[in-house]
Amino acid sequence: MMATTAYIDDSCSEVIDPPKTEVLDVVELPGDHTQHPPKPNVVVSSSVRELLECPVCLSAMYPPIHQCSNGHTLCSGCKPRVHNRCPTCRHELGNIRCLALEKVAASLEVPCKYQSFGCSGIYPYYSKLKHESQCQYRPYSCPYAGSECTVVGDIPYLVNHLKDDHKVDMHNGCTFNHRYVKPNPHEVENATWMLTVFSCFGQYFCLHFEAFQLGMSPVYIAFLRFMGDDAEAKNYSYSLEVGGTGRKMIWQGVPRSIRDSHRKVRDSYDGLIIQRNMALFFSGGDRKELKLRVTGRIWKEQ
């Protein structure tokens, strides 16, 4: 069973390829996410780590690594920020590269930063960022769409977070029948209803429903996201149905992984889209209140 672990990652590191002059002993094939087994006696001392740490942003440095005439180093991203002055001795930086430190870094092998989540791989220093951007153990962002939630973690942690902190509706089963109500819908251009989470097939799925503007047209959209990676999401399909007064609309698709943000899925129109006038027609009555019933089911592909 996967350990429940929270992880807060506020880094925005750029994936940088190794210097063309270096030959590394690991070849990464496109789409190859295989975890390399741990290698014995691979130790990166704290003093070496400190040498590779930028004194300004405190992040690991990658080529080009700059240095002043006194040998103090900093990363290329911070060089413009210090106005060409060494942050350590205040001497002018110029355009000196610390090739020796770049070569030292190329000789190192380091563990993935998601080691606590289960990744046991050891990677060349210059391949580490690329691996971490694709690591199957990297944490997920909270899928809640009602606020800019910054919590990240593994799936068990996020399920508990959604239940305890966001108070979302939790359901067991692979079919659903939801009613979305909104008074004065003509006054609402953007609205998000409470997220619903379904547990079925031993997995978790998130049902989203919201109002937004599609060009100049007010519309509603419903879609499903899978709490797991995209490769697993493709094992499932779902359908959504909405209707009234003898008419109905049906959508069938594949749930998107929560690796894709809620906004990305919505803005790609990957779901059941209902024009507001049609939604009010389905609601019946005097069309002054939204009373839309959305039914659906989730199934596993053979």
Side-chain angles (χ1 to χ4, degrees), residues 155 159 169-176 196-207 224-228 232-233 235-239 255 296-301:
I155 298 303
V159 169
D169 294 328
M170 307 289 294
H171 294 273
N172 291 316
C174 300
T175 60
F176 46 90
T196 306
V197 177
F198 298 93
S199 173
C200 64
F201 301 110
Q203 306 287 350
Y204 292 93
F205 301 82
C206 302
L207 178 62
L224 202 70
R225 287 202 291 165
F226 174 74
M227 295 188 70
E232 292 181 272
N235 294 326
Y236 302 91
S237 295
Y238 73 102
S239 64
R297 70 183 184 97
I298 306 165
W299 66 92
K300 190 171 185 178
E301 296 293 346

Side-chain angles (χ1 to χ4, degrees), residues 271-290:
L272 175 63
I273 296 178
I274 313 132
Q275 297 284 340
R276 184 165 67 188
N277 287 340
M278 181 65 73
L280 294 176
F281 174 75
F282 288 152
S283 299
D286 56 7
R287 302 190 187 185
K288 295 186 181 297
E289 184 177 18
L290 179 73

Side-chain angles (χ1 to χ4, degrees), residues 154-272:
D154 59 19
I155 298 303
Y157 177 81
L158 288 182
V159 169
N160 288 328
H161 164 68
L162 288 169
K163 182 167 49 178
D164 298 337
D165 298 331
H166 292 299
K167 311 298 182 186
V168 304
D169 294 328
M170 307 289 294
H171 294 273
N172 291 316
C174 300
T175 60
F176 46 90
N177 186 336
H178 273 44
R179 194 169 184 230
Y180 297 97
V181 178
K182 192 75 175 178
N184 303 319
H186 289 284
E187 298 177 6
V188 177
E189 300 299 338
N190 294 283
T192 301
W193 278 257
M194 177 63 74
L195 182 71
T196 306
V197 177
F198 298 93
S199 173
C200 64
F201 301 110
Q203 306 287 350
Y204 292 93
F205 301 82
C206 302
L207 178 62
H208 297 262
F209 184 80
E210 66 178 274
F212 76 109
Q213 289 286 125
L214 180 55
M216 298 297 292
S217 303
V219 300
Y220 299 95
I221 185 170
F223 58 88
L224 202 70
R225 287 202 291 165
F226 174 74
M227 295 188 70
D229 278 332
D230 185 62
E232 292 181 272
K234 288 180 170 61
N235 294 326
Y236 302 91
S237 295
Y238 73 102
S239 64
L240 297 173
E241 181 177 313
V242 62
T245 64
R247 282 95 170 165
K248 66 181 177 181
M249 297 171 62
I250 299 175
W251 162 269
Q252 181 174 320
V254 175
R256 296 278 287 273
S257 165
I258 60 171
R259 295 284 189 208
D260 289 336
S261 70
H262 151 266
R263 186 180 297 275
K264 180 178 180 179
V265 178
R266 186 200 69 184
D267 291 349
S268 66
Y269 317 129
D270 193 0
L272 175 63

